[in-house]
Amino acid sequence: MFYTGGLPFNFARNPNYISAFSFAANHSLGGYVPPGYNKLRTTLLQQEKTNVERLLEPIKSTWMEKGVSIVSDGWSDPQRRPLINFMVVCESGPMFIKAVNCAGAGEIIEAKNVESNQETYDECHWITDVYGDVMVIKNFIMNHSMRLAMFNRFSPLKLLSVADTRFASVVVMLKRFKLIKGALESMIVSEQWGQYREDDQGKTRFVRDKVLDENWWAKVNYILAFTAPIYDMIRMFYSEQWLEEGEGRVPPHMDGEVSIERNKCFRRIFSEDERFKALDEYANFSLKSGPFEDPDSIGARFNTEPMKWWACFGSNAPLLQKLAFRVLGQPSSSSCCERNWSTYSFIHSIRRNKLIPKRAEDLVFVHNNLRLLSRVNSKYYDGKEKMWDVGGDDFGSMEDVGVLQLANLSLDEPELESVFFDEDANDIMDKENDQIEKIQ
């Protein structure tokens, strides 16, 4: 399969591949005939889809309590049929639901417990524009091995992809860009960059102009400046240690701006009776009184993840606990939908353009959600199956990465960084550095 079918070697870590061959090696299968072409694409595909739906039920059972985000994105398949990709994102990760062929038709998606934040989105859209510029620069460098090697000569830090479903992915990515600003500027004005010739001159100019634009960097700094208190507040959870570490830090009930916005939030979310109960719960939380005066509850605020803290100590404040689960478990981006198109294009490629939309949708459903189920398994982070879908054989390219996509690399996950950059990375970089020296 690997030498005739073109499978990437990283596929050998796929848990399904391992379990299938382990089962075959340890059982007598005399007379067994593997399924044929028609059965694989019809009967067995539907059976596997049903099996995956069954395996997803434990994740779905948490939706009513913790809430979900429904995200969507548009795409055209190889035959130019317009599709809308629908996914549900929750604490466990993005779950593929369906891809709707919207050519000449409309569809209504029923959604319960879903809130619209269009007004906030409109006001903050410029932030996504800046982040979009960052992603263009990042992809421009990482999608070409020579440009990536050139960058690595100027920067001791790696230019990583950050999963948009991870905590504060935009903030994390902008922080990394601020740290590598000097390296990017040095690379852009270097002799190597001047000698390098790129086919897409428009994109090259765009990257150069942004990196050397101090006004653009001022926007990056501004985003980091006004999001820092929010980031820290959610990360550190208003513990006494956090309040004492910085000058001017005050608890939430003493912060006028936070209090005003919190009350607006309560009025929008809770009914009148519930709102006064929520205010009473919040008063106890802020004053560390009533159910929140327990020493373990107070001590755990600093070193426990907020969602876990609310799970352990929030049962006597059910309204706030429910709100905390919903807020802390939601993503702020629909990029998982955009990333899912790489899976779609991998399955419904030009070479497989005769797939009917429904069969392609079923294949994407099984493919994407099996990966989700794999990642919520503890074995995904240990042993021979460790992060089987991260990296791959050609780490210098992020174009059409298909199964082995790099989207979930995160600065929160150093073990992913080590797998991605330590395995064979030195050999690859040596080769690319040799190419740059030839240019010089």
PDB file of all heavy atoms in Angstrom, residues 273-302:
ATOM      1  N   ASP A 273     -36.282  36.964  36.752  1.00  0.00           N
ATOM      2  CA  ASP A 273     -36.107  36.171  37.970  1.00  0.00           C
ATOM      3  C   ASP A 273     -34.713  35.544  38.019  1.00  0.00           C
ATOM      4  O   ASP A 273     -34.051  35.547  39.061  1.00  0.00           O
ATOM      5  CB  ASP A 273     -37.169  35.074  38.036  1.00  0.00           C
ATOM      6  CG  ASP A 273     -38.559  35.646  38.296  1.00  0.00           C
ATOM      7  OD1 ASP A 273     -38.640  36.782  38.793  1.00  0.00           O
ATOM      8  OD2 ASP A 273     -39.546  34.950  38.003  1.00  0.00           O
ATOM      9  N   GLU A 274     -34.280  35.015  36.881  1.00  0.00           N
ATOM     10  CA  GLU A 274     -32.966  34.384  36.841  1.00  0.00           C
ATOM     11  C   GLU A 274     -31.846  35.396  37.055  1.00  0.00           C
ATOM     12  O   GLU A 274     -30.829  35.077  37.672  1.00  0.00           O
ATOM     13  CB  GLU A 274     -32.761  33.681  35.496  1.00  0.00           C
ATOM     14  CG  GLU A 274     -33.575  32.412  35.306  1.00  0.00           C
ATOM     15  CD  GLU A 274     -33.323  31.787  33.947  1.00  0.00           C
ATOM     16  OE1 GLU A 274     -32.961  32.538  33.004  1.00  0.00           O
ATOM     17  OE2 GLU A 274     -33.492  30.567  33.814  1.00  0.00           O
ATOM     18  N   ARG A 275     -32.055  36.616  36.543  1.00  0.00           N
ATOM     19  CA  ARG A 275     -30.995  37.624  36.616  1.00  0.00           C
ATOM     20  C   ARG A 275     -30.645  37.963  38.063  1.00  0.00           C
ATOM     21  O   ARG A 275     -29.467  38.076  38.426  1.00  0.00           O
ATOM     22  CB  ARG A 275     -31.393  38.880  35.859  1.00  0.00           C
ATOM     23  CG  ARG A 275     -30.256  39.898  35.756  1.00  0.00           C
ATOM     24  CD  ARG A 275     -30.541  40.958  34.736  1.00  0.00           C
ATOM     25  NE  ARG A 275     -31.570  41.891  35.149  1.00  0.00           N
ATOM     26  CZ  ARG A 275     -32.795  41.940  34.630  1.00  0.00           C
ATOM     27  NH1 ARG A 275     -33.122  41.094  33.672  1.00  0.00           N
ATOM     28  NH2 ARG A 275     -33.677  42.828  35.040  1.00  0.00           N
ATOM     29  N   PHE A 276     -31.641  38.101  38.915  1.00  0.00           N
ATOM     30  CA  PHE A 276     -31.354  38.436  40.311  1.00  0.00           C
ATOM     31  C   PHE A 276     -30.688  37.261  41.029  1.00  0.00           C
ATOM     32  O   PHE A 276     -29.845  37.459  41.915  1.00  0.00           O
ATOM     33  CB  PHE A 276     -32.631  38.868  41.018  1.00  0.00           C
ATOM     34  CG  PHE A 276     -33.101  40.237  40.604  1.00  0.00           C
ATOM     35  CD1 PHE A 276     -34.190  40.390  39.768  1.00  0.00           C
ATOM     36  CD2 PHE A 276     -32.426  41.369  41.026  1.00  0.00           C
ATOM     37  CE1 PHE A 276     -34.604  41.646  39.361  1.00  0.00           C
ATOM     38  CE2 PHE A 276     -32.838  42.644  40.629  1.00  0.00           C
ATOM     39  CZ  PHE A 276     -33.928  42.772  39.790  1.00  0.00           C
ATOM     40  N   LYS A 277     -31.042  36.047  40.644  1.00  0.00           N
ATOM     41  CA  LYS A 277     -30.358  34.881  41.206  1.00  0.00           C
ATOM     42  C   LYS A 277     -28.905  34.849  40.738  1.00  0.00           C
ATOM     43  O   LYS A 277     -27.994  34.551  41.513  1.00  0.00           O
ATOM     44  CB  LYS A 277     -31.072  33.599  40.784  1.00  0.00           C
ATOM     45  CG  LYS A 277     -32.454  33.427  41.392  1.00  0.00           C
ATOM     46  CD  LYS A 277     -33.103  32.137  40.899  1.00  0.00           C
ATOM     47  CE  LYS A 277     -34.506  31.975  41.475  1.00  0.00           C
ATOM     48  NZ  LYS A 277     -35.172  30.741  40.970  1.00  0.00           N
ATOM     49  N   ALA A 278     -28.703  35.176  39.452  1.00  0.00           N
ATOM     50  CA  ALA A 278     -27.344  35.190  38.905  1.00  0.00           C
ATOM     51  C   ALA A 278     -26.504  36.266  39.580  1.00  0.00           C
ATOM     52  O   ALA A 278     -25.313  36.058  39.859  1.00  0.00           O
ATOM     53  CB  ALA A 278     -27.388  35.420  37.392  1.00  0.00           C
ATOM     54  N   LEU A 279     -27.113  37.421  39.854  1.00  0.00           N
ATOM     55  CA  LEU A 279     -26.390  38.492  40.535  1.00  0.00           C
ATOM     56  C   LEU A 279     -25.984  38.061  41.946  1.00  0.00           C
ATOM     57  O   LEU A 279     -24.886  38.384  42.420  1.00  0.00           O
ATOM     58  CB  LEU A 279     -27.247  39.755  40.582  1.00  0.00           C
ATOM     59  CG  LEU A 279     -27.449  40.487  39.252  1.00  0.00           C
ATOM     60  CD1 LEU A 279     -28.484  41.594  39.395  1.00  0.00           C
ATOM     61  CD2 LEU A 279     -26.123  41.062  38.759  1.00  0.00           C
ATOM     62  N   ASP A 280     -26.884  37.333  42.617  1.00  0.00           N
ATOM     63  CA  ASP A 280     -26.558  36.853  43.961  1.00  0.00           C
ATOM     64  C   ASP A 280     -25.419  35.836  43.899  1.00  0.00           C
ATOM     65  O   ASP A 280     -24.505  35.868  44.736  1.00  0.00           O
ATOM     66  CB  ASP A 280     -27.804  36.217  44.587  1.00  0.00           C
ATOM     67  CG  ASP A 280     -27.554  35.771  46.028  1.00  0.00           C
ATOM     68  OD1 ASP A 280     -27.293  36.634  46.885  1.00  0.00           O
ATOM     69  OD2 ASP A 280     -27.594  34.549  46.275  1.00  0.00           O
ATOM     70  N   GLU A 281     -25.460  34.953  42.901  1.00  0.00           N
ATOM     71  CA  GLU A 281     -24.375  33.984  42.721  1.00  0.00           C
ATOM     72  C   GLU A 281     -23.060  34.693  42.432  1.00  0.00           C
ATOM     73  O   GLU A 281     -22.006  34.314  42.955  1.00  0.00           O
ATOM     74  CB  GLU A 281     -24.711  33.016  41.586  1.00  0.00           C
ATOM     75  CG  GLU A 281     -25.878  32.090  41.884  1.00  0.00           C
ATOM     76  CD  GLU A 281     -26.223  31.206  40.696  1.00  0.00           C
ATOM     77  OE1 GLU A 281     -25.550  31.323  39.641  1.00  0.00           O
ATOM     78  OE2 GLU A 281     -27.164  30.408  40.808  1.00  0.00           O
ATOM     79  N   TYR A 282     -23.142  35.739  41.613  1.00  0.00           N
ATOM     80  CA  TYR A 282     -21.926  36.467  41.260  1.00  0.00           C
ATOM     81  C   TYR A 282     -21.346  37.207  42.471  1.00  0.00           C
ATOM     82  O   TYR A 282     -20.121  37.286  42.633  1.00  0.00           O
ATOM     83  CB  TYR A 282     -22.206  37.455  40.133  1.00  0.00           C
ATOM     84  CG  TYR A 282     -20.972  38.181  39.693  1.00  0.00           C
ATOM     85  CD1 TYR A 282     -20.037  37.558  38.871  1.00  0.00           C
ATOM     86  CD2 TYR A 282     -20.705  39.486  40.110  1.00  0.00           C
ATOM     87  CE1 TYR A 282     -18.883  38.197  38.477  1.00  0.00           C
ATOM     88  CE2 TYR A 282     -19.553  40.137  39.724  1.00  0.00           C
ATOM     89  CZ  TYR A 282     -18.649  39.486  38.895  1.00  0.00           C
ATOM     90  OH  TYR A 282     -17.500  40.136  38.517  1.00  0.00           O
ATOM     91  N   ALA A 283     -22.227  37.733  43.301  1.00  0.00           N
ATOM     92  CA  ALA A 283     -21.761  38.417  44.517  1.00  0.00           C
ATOM     93  C   ALA A 283     -20.997  37.442  45.408  1.00  0.00           C
ATOM     94  O   ALA A 283     -19.933  37.769  45.952  1.00  0.00           O
ATOM     95  CB  ALA A 283     -22.944  39.021  45.271  1.00  0.00           C
ATOM     96  N   ASN A 284     -21.531  36.226  45.573  1.00  0.00           N
ATOM     97  CA  ASN A 284     -20.834  35.221  46.376  1.00  0.00           C
ATOM     98  C   ASN A 284     -19.491  34.853  45.757  1.00  0.00           C
ATOM     99  O   ASN A 284     -18.490  34.694  46.471  1.00  0.00           O
ATOM    100  CB  ASN A 284     -21.701  33.963  46.510  1.00  0.00           C
ATOM    101  CG  ASN A 284     -22.884  34.176  47.441  1.00  0.00           C
ATOM    102  OD1 ASN A 284     -22.815  34.965  48.383  1.00  0.00           O
ATOM    103  ND2 ASN A 284     -23.981  33.478  47.176  1.00  0.00           N
ATOM    104  N   PHE A 285     -19.470  34.728  44.426  1.00  0.00           N
ATOM    105  CA  PHE A 285     -18.224  34.391  43.742  1.00  0.00           C
ATOM    106  C   PHE A 285     -17.180  35.498  43.951  1.00  0.00           C
ATOM    107  O   PHE A 285     -16.013  35.221  44.252  1.00  0.00           O
ATOM    108  CB  PHE A 285     -18.498  34.196  42.252  1.00  0.00           C
ATOM    109  CG  PHE A 285     -17.256  34.168  41.410  1.00  0.00           C
ATOM    110  CD1 PHE A 285     -16.424  33.055  41.384  1.00  0.00           C
ATOM    111  CD2 PHE A 285     -16.896  35.266  40.634  1.00  0.00           C
ATOM    112  CE1 PHE A 285     -15.272  33.024  40.610  1.00  0.00           C
ATOM    113  CE2 PHE A 285     -15.751  35.248  39.848  1.00  0.00           C
ATOM    114  CZ  PHE A 285     -14.934  34.122  39.846  1.00  0.00           C
ATOM    115  N   SER A 286     -17.591  36.757  43.797  1.00  0.00           N
ATOM    116  CA  SER A 286     -16.654  37.879  43.906  1.00  0.00           C
ATOM    117  C   SER A 286     -16.140  38.061  45.328  1.00  0.00           C
ATOM    118  O   SER A 286     -14.965  38.372  45.543  1.00  0.00           O
ATOM    119  CB  SER A 286     -17.334  39.176  43.436  1.00  0.00           C
ATOM    120  OG  SER A 286     -17.746  39.071  42.089  1.00  0.00           O
ATOM    121  N   LEU A 287     -17.029  37.866  46.305  1.00  0.00           N
ATOM    122  CA  LEU A 287     -16.661  38.097  47.702  1.00  0.00           C
ATOM    123  C   LEU A 287     -16.111  36.845  48.376  1.00  0.00           C
ATOM    124  O   LEU A 287     -15.785  36.886  49.568  1.00  0.00           O
ATOM    125  CB  LEU A 287     -17.877  38.610  48.478  1.00  0.00           C
ATOM    126  CG  LEU A 287     -18.465  39.945  47.984  1.00  0.00           C
ATOM    127  CD1 LEU A 287     -19.764  40.249  48.723  1.00  0.00           C
ATOM    128  CD2 LEU A 287     -17.459  41.066  48.160  1.00  0.00           C
ATOM    129  N   LYS A 288     -16.058  35.751  47.600  1.00  0.00           N
ATOM    130  CA  LYS A 288     -15.586  34.463  48.148  1.00  0.00           C
ATOM    131  C   LYS A 288     -16.388  34.095  49.398  1.00  0.00           C
ATOM    132  O   LYS A 288     -15.845  33.674  50.430  1.00  0.00           O
ATOM    133  CB  LYS A 288     -14.097  34.515  48.490  1.00  0.00           C
ATOM    134  CG  LYS A 288     -13.206  34.866  47.313  1.00  0.00           C
ATOM    135  CD  LYS A 288     -11.731  34.865  47.720  1.00  0.00           C
ATOM    136  CE  LYS A 288     -10.832  35.234  46.561  1.00  0.00           C
ATOM    137  NZ  LYS A 288     -11.021  36.615  46.093  1.00  0.00           N
ATOM    138  N   SER A 289     -17.689  34.253  49.296  1.00  0.00           N
ATOM    139  CA  SER A 289     -18.570  33.966  50.422  1.00  0.00           C
ATOM    140  C   SER A 289     -19.510  32.819  50.055  1.00  0.00           C
ATOM    141  O   SER A 289     -19.576  32.383  48.901  1.00  0.00           O
ATOM    142  CB  SER A 289     -19.387  35.213  50.786  1.00  0.00           C
ATOM    143  OG  SER A 289     -20.207  35.621  49.702  1.00  0.00           O
ATOM    144  N   GLY A 290     -20.248  32.342  51.057  1.00  0.00           N
ATOM    145  CA  GLY A 290     -21.203  31.267  50.800  1.00  0.00           C
ATOM    146  C   GLY A 290     -20.511  30.031  50.245  1.00  0.00           C
ATOM    147  O   GLY A 290     -19.511  29.554  50.813  1.00  0.00           O
ATOM    148  N   PRO A 291     -20.992  29.488  49.133  1.00  0.00           N
ATOM    149  CA  PRO A 291     -20.394  28.259  48.598  1.00  0.00           C
ATOM    150  C   PRO A 291     -18.977  28.445  48.062  1.00  0.00           C
ATOM    151  O   PRO A 291     -18.291  27.462  47.806  1.00  0.00           O
ATOM    152  CB  PRO A 291     -21.355  27.890  47.458  1.00  0.00           C
ATOM    153  CG  PRO A 291     -21.998  29.171  47.063  1.00  0.00           C
ATOM    154  CD  PRO A 291     -22.140  29.959  48.321  1.00  0.00           C
ATOM    155  N   PHE A 292     -18.538  29.707  47.934  1.00  0.00           N
ATOM    156  CA  PHE A 292     -17.204  29.965  47.385  1.00  0.00           C
ATOM    157  C   PHE A 292     -16.171  30.314  48.458  1.00  0.00           C
ATOM    158  O   PHE A 292     -15.080  30.752  48.137  1.00  0.00           O
ATOM    159  CB  PHE A 292     -17.273  31.109  46.364  1.00  0.00           C
ATOM    160  CG  PHE A 292     -18.109  30.781  45.162  1.00  0.00           C
ATOM    161  CD1 PHE A 292     -19.357  31.365  45.007  1.00  0.00           C
ATOM    162  CD2 PHE A 292     -17.664  29.888  44.206  1.00  0.00           C
ATOM    163  CE1 PHE A 292     -20.139  31.066  43.905  1.00  0.00           C
ATOM    164  CE2 PHE A 292     -18.436  29.586  43.096  1.00  0.00           C
ATOM    165  CZ  PHE A 292     -19.681  30.170  42.942  1.00  0.00           C
ATOM    166  N   GLU A 293     -16.519  30.136  49.737  1.00  0.00           N
ATOM    167  CA  GLU A 293     -15.560  30.442  50.795  1.00  0.00           C
ATOM    168  C   GLU A 293     -14.696  29.251  51.174  1.00  0.00           C
ATOM    169  O   GLU A 293     -13.802  29.354  52.015  1.00  0.00           O
ATOM    170  CB  GLU A 293     -16.298  30.961  52.033  1.00  0.00           C
ATOM    171  CG  GLU A 293     -17.217  29.930  52.677  1.00  0.00           C
ATOM    172  CD  GLU A 293     -17.988  30.507  53.853  1.00  0.00           C
ATOM    173  OE1 GLU A 293     -17.790  31.706  54.143  1.00  0.00           O
ATOM    174  OE2 GLU A 293     -18.794  29.775  54.468  1.00  0.00           O
ATOM    175  N   ASP A 294     -14.957  28.114  50.549  1.00  0.00           N
ATOM    176  CA  ASP A 294     -14.168  26.919  50.818  1.00  0.00           C
ATOM    177  C   ASP A 294     -12.705  27.166  50.447  1.00  0.00           C
ATOM    178  O   ASP A 294     -12.408  27.696  49.365  1.00  0.00           O
ATOM    179  CB  ASP A 294     -14.712  25.745  50.002  1.00  0.00           C
ATOM    180  CG  ASP A 294     -13.922  24.474  50.239  1.00  0.00           C
ATOM    181  OD1 ASP A 294     -14.109  23.855  51.270  1.00  0.00           O
ATOM    182  OD2 ASP A 294     -13.098  24.126  49.350  1.00  0.00           O
ATOM    183  N   PRO A 295     -11.737  26.818  51.320  1.00  0.00           N
ATOM    184  CA  PRO A 295     -10.313  27.076  51.037  1.00  0.00           C
ATOM    185  C   PRO A 295      -9.835  26.426  49.740  1.00  0.00           C
ATOM    186  O   PRO A 295      -9.016  27.000  49.021  1.00  0.00           O
ATOM    187  CB  PRO A 295      -9.602  26.484  52.260  1.00  0.00           C
ATOM    188  CG  PRO A 295     -10.619  26.510  53.343  1.00  0.00           C
ATOM    189  CD  PRO A 295     -11.935  26.262  52.683  1.00  0.00           C
ATOM    190  N   ASP A 296     -10.330  25.224  49.439  1.00  0.00           N
ATOM    191  CA  ASP A 296      -9.927  24.564  48.195  1.00  0.00           C
ATOM    192  C   ASP A 296     -10.428  25.337  46.983  1.00  0.00           C
ATOM    193  O   ASP A 296      -9.727  25.459  45.972  1.00  0.00           O
ATOM    194  CB  ASP A 296     -10.471  23.137  48.148  1.00  0.00           C
ATOM    195  CG  ASP A 296      -9.768  22.220  49.134  1.00  0.00           C
ATOM    196  OD1 ASP A 296      -8.657  22.572  49.576  1.00  0.00           O
ATOM    197  OD2 ASP A 296     -10.331  21.168  49.466  1.00  0.00           O
ATOM    198  N   SER A 297     -11.633  25.878  47.092  1.00  0.00           N
ATOM    199  CA  SER A 297     -12.197  26.667  45.996  1.00  0.00           C
ATOM    200  C   SER A 297     -11.346  27.904  45.740  1.00  0.00           C
ATOM    201  O   SER A 297     -11.041  28.244  44.585  1.00  0.00           O
ATOM    202  CB  SER A 297     -13.634  27.074  46.337  1.00  0.00           C
ATOM    203  OG  SER A 297     -14.098  28.085  45.464  1.00  0.00           O
ATOM    204  N   ILE A 298     -10.938  28.569  46.810  1.00  0.00           N
ATOM    205  CA  ILE A 298     -10.136  29.788  46.668  1.00  0.00           C
ATOM    206  C   ILE A 298      -8.737  29.459  46.174  1.00  0.00           C
ATOM    207  O   ILE A 298      -8.204  30.109  45.272  1.00  0.00           O
ATOM    208  CB  ILE A 298     -10.069  30.534  48.017  1.00  0.00           C
ATOM    209  CG1 ILE A 298     -11.477  30.978  48.438  1.00  0.00           C
ATOM    210  CG2 ILE A 298      -9.122  31.730  47.924  1.00  0.00           C
ATOM    211  CD1 ILE A 298     -11.541  31.563  49.838  1.00  0.00           C
ATOM    212  N   GLY A 299      -8.135  28.438  46.748  1.00  0.00           N
ATOM    213  CA  GLY A 299      -6.772  28.089  46.368  1.00  0.00           C
ATOM    214  C   GLY A 299      -6.637  27.596  44.941  1.00  0.00           C
ATOM    215  O   GLY A 299      -5.603  27.789  44.291  1.00  0.00           O
ATOM    216  N   ALA A 300      -7.700  26.973  44.415  1.00  0.00           N
ATOM    217  CA  ALA A 300      -7.629  26.392  43.072  1.00  0.00           C
ATOM    218  C   ALA A 300      -7.846  27.419  41.966  1.00  0.00           C
ATOM    219  O   ALA A 300      -7.685  27.095  40.785  1.00  0.00           O
ATOM    220  CB  ALA A 300      -8.657  25.267  42.937  1.00  0.00           C
ATOM    221  N   ARG A 301      -8.197  28.640  42.316  1.00  0.00           N
ATOM    222  CA  ARG A 301      -8.463  29.636  41.277  1.00  0.00           C
ATOM    223  C   ARG A 301      -7.229  29.962  40.451  1.00  0.00           C
ATOM    224  O   ARG A 301      -7.332  30.309  39.283  1.00  0.00           O
ATOM    225  CB  ARG A 301      -9.001  30.936  41.902  1.00  0.00           C
ATOM    226  CG  ARG A 301     -10.407  30.811  42.455  1.00  0.00           C
ATOM    227  CD  ARG A 301     -10.996  32.169  42.780  1.00  0.00           C
ATOM    228  NE  ARG A 301     -12.333  32.064  43.345  1.00  0.00           N
ATOM    229  CZ  ARG A 301     -13.176  33.074  43.462  1.00  0.00           C
ATOM    230  NH1 ARG A 301     -12.805  34.286  43.060  1.00  0.00           N
ATOM    231  NH2 ARG A 301     -14.370  32.903  43.990  1.00  0.00           N
ATOM    232  N   PHE A 302      -6.072  29.859  41.062  1.00  0.00           N
ATOM    233  CA  PHE A 302      -4.850  30.272  40.368  1.00  0.00           C
ATOM    234  C   PHE A 302      -4.304  29.192  39.439  1.00  0.00           C
ATOM    235  O   PHE A 302      -3.842  29.487  38.346  1.00  0.00           O
ATOM    236  CB  PHE A 302      -3.780  30.652  41.392  1.00  0.00           C
ATOM    237  CG  PHE A 302      -2.500  31.148  40.775  1.00  0.00           C
ATOM    238  CD1 PHE A 302      -2.448  32.383  40.154  1.00  0.00           C
ATOM    239  CD2 PHE A 302      -1.350  30.371  40.785  1.00  0.00           C
ATOM    240  CE1 PHE A 302      -1.282  32.848  39.572  1.00  0.00           C
ATOM    241  CE2 PHE A 302      -0.173  30.820  40.212  1.00  0.00           C
ATOM    242  CZ  PHE A 302      -0.137  32.065  39.598  1.00  0.00           C
TER     243      PHE A 302
END
